[in-house]
Amino acid sequence: ERFPSTGFLPAYACWLCYFLVGVGFSVCFAFSPSDAWQTGFMASMLTTVLVFCFAFVFKNTSIYDPYWCWFPLFSAIGWMSTAESGPSARSCYTLGLLMAWFLRYNSQWPWEGWTHGIRTEDWRYPMMARKLGLRDSVGLLYWLGVSLVGSHLIPTLLVWFVLAPVQKVWTSGLSVAPLGSLDLLAVTTSLGGVALQFLSDRTLYNFRKANIKANEGELEKKVCGKTCREGPWAYSRHPNYLGEVLFWLGMDLAAVAGGWTSWISAFGGIANYACFFRVSASLMDARSLRNRPGYVEVMKETSALLPCPLIVDQVLDRLLIPQS
């Protein structure tokens, strides 16, 4: 979507922004305090604000869109490169899982900012603005409330609190517990999450391609009036979101397996992350109710994320989706 004041974000600005993000992480880890957690947090927050500065200058908040999958990789590389000793088997397999997650997303959803620049913004930004009574991306309320806090800092923090438990896996070097059955469960869960995301997005892409008359480049910008109920979409209204939660659940299981974080610390972040995606699912559902005839029946028959008793899901839907 577009605000009246949405600006064009040229490709060179996108490249410059993320080059500076990489530089920012490098500088923070090169001149870091002794606490690795604080270094990662400081680098993530500072570079998030850097991305916001580009958004403000070019009047387009969607420059943040790829950040949430880039900064975990920058953090992991920074932590491993500053570890006291060489990497352990656990730190290597978790980095491999993170790379698989990163490459899956960027291969299936290549960002047009790298090649053509960006002329539109994610539909959630105008929706957030309208809820505050704003019709355009102007003024302090939009840029500080909607853009900086709601669209930059909060998403970064949500990912940070599922990433942070893995920090000591990457900074402890060889001083770790031996691999065990929990590591196998961690790998299986994370890879299962990535596979579910891949299958879900591929199934949805093929469905949209068959039901929308548009060329390849315009396909994702069009609204489909039909609902995909094929493959994973037959069991969950948002299986791609479920895959995201499963990926980070597996990563945090790896942290627990290493003995570097408690179950409470690991799953506090996961619970928060799952709640965020359940709310995001409701936002998507509210949009689908407006654009897809019969979607109310889909909601009655299929749970939002994890297959569960539908009565539970329906109660959450009543709480999260405004009733007209």
Side-chain angles (χ1 to χ4, degrees):
E1 293 189 21
R2 287 180 58 88
F3 290 105
S5 298
T6 293
F8 172 59
L9 189 61
Y12 80 83
C14 299
W15 281 96
L16 177 61
C17 176
Y18 283 91
F19 171 75
L20 292 177
V21 167
V23 171
F25 270 91
S26 300
V27 170
C28 286
F29 277 96
F31 302 97
S32 64
S34 57
D35 189 289
W37 191 98
Q38 291 180 8
T39 302
F41 184 75
M42 177 179 64
S44 300
M45 290 296 103
L46 289 177
T47 53
T48 296
V49 174
L50 170 65
V51 174
F52 166 75
C53 291
F54 273 81
F56 180 76
V57 169
F58 288 93
K59 305 303 180 211
N60 195 315
T61 297
S62 270
I63 195 170
Y64 178 86
D65 291 353
Y67 179 84
W68 67 274
C69 73
W70 278 91
F71 92 85
L73 185 61
F74 285 137
S75 298
I77 293 172
W79 281 326
M80 287 189 73
S81 65
T82 54
E84 295 180 359
S85 61
S88 66
R90 185 173 290 109
S91 63
C92 288
Y93 87 65
T94 49
L95 182 63
L97 290 172
L98 189 66
M99 284 296 300
W101 169 80
F102 173 85
L103 292 172
R104 195 289 311 175
Y105 179 81
N106 283 281
S107 62
Q108 281 194 297
W109 299 102
W111 191 44
E112 64 180 356
W114 302 128
T115 53
H116 305 297
I118 303 173
R119 298 182 183 277
T120 59
E121 300 188 67
D122 189 286
W123 62 270
R124 296 170 186 83
Y125 307 146
M127 180 208 67
M128 292 166 63
R130 285 192 292 267
K131 286 189 174 182
L132 293 175
L134 302 174
R135 296 183 179 180
D136 199 1
S137 54
V138 294
L140 284 178
L141 181 58
Y142 176 79
W143 285 108
L144 295 183
V146 174
S147 187
L148 177 59
V149 176
S151 306
H152 285 80
L153 294 177
I154 288 178
T156 295
L157 287 171
L158 284 166
V159 177
W160 170 256
F161 284 111
V162 290
L163 170 70
V166 197
Q167 170 249 310
K168 288 190 177 179
V169 172
W170 288 316
T171 57
S172 297
L174 297 172
S175 303
V176 295
L179 298 180
S181 57
L182 194 54
D183 291 285
L184 179 60
L185 179 60
V187 173
T188 303
T189 303
S190 282
L191 284 181
V194 173
L196 179 58
Q197 288 180 304
F198 176 84
L199 180 59
S200 300
D201 285 345
R202 174 54 59 179
T203 302
L204 182 60
Y205 174 82
N206 290 335
F207 177 84
R208 288 173 59 84
K209 189 175 182 180
N211 288 278
I212 298 177
K213 294 182 179 180
N215 59 42
E216 197 80 12
E218 296 294 318
L219 188 62
E220 293 306 320
K221 298 178 183 179
K222 301 290 186 180
V223 174
C224 182
K226 297 181 179 180
T227 301
C228 179
R229 305 197 72 179
E230 301 170 3
W233 301 88
Y235 306 98
S236 171
R237 301 199 301 269
H238 305 280
N240 47 352
Y241 287 178
L242 176 59
E244 178 72 10
V245 174
L246 287 175
F247 169 76
W248 286 109
L249 174 61
M251 293 290 282
D252 287 353
L253 282 172
V256 175
W260 296 116
T261 189
S262 67
W263 288 93
I264 294 176
S265 298
F267 292 105
I270 281 293
N272 193 39
Y273 205 54
C275 288
F276 167 75
F277 276 102
R278 182 59 182 86
V279 173
S280 294
S282 293
L283 295 177
M284 291 289 290
D285 288 336
R287 193 170 186 243
S288 293
L289 286 169
R290 294 191 299 269
N291 296 323
R292 294 174 183 160
Y295 193 76
V296 65
E297 297 303 318
V298 176
M299 294 180 65
K300 291 179 180 178
E301 298 170 1
T302 312
S303 60
L305 293 182
L306 186 69
C308 66
L310 289 174
I311 185 64
V312 175
D313 217 55
Q314 288 164 5
V315 169
L316 290 173
D317 287 334
R318 291 191 187 98
L319 292 172
L320 296 171
I321 300 176
Q323 304 297 311
S324 57

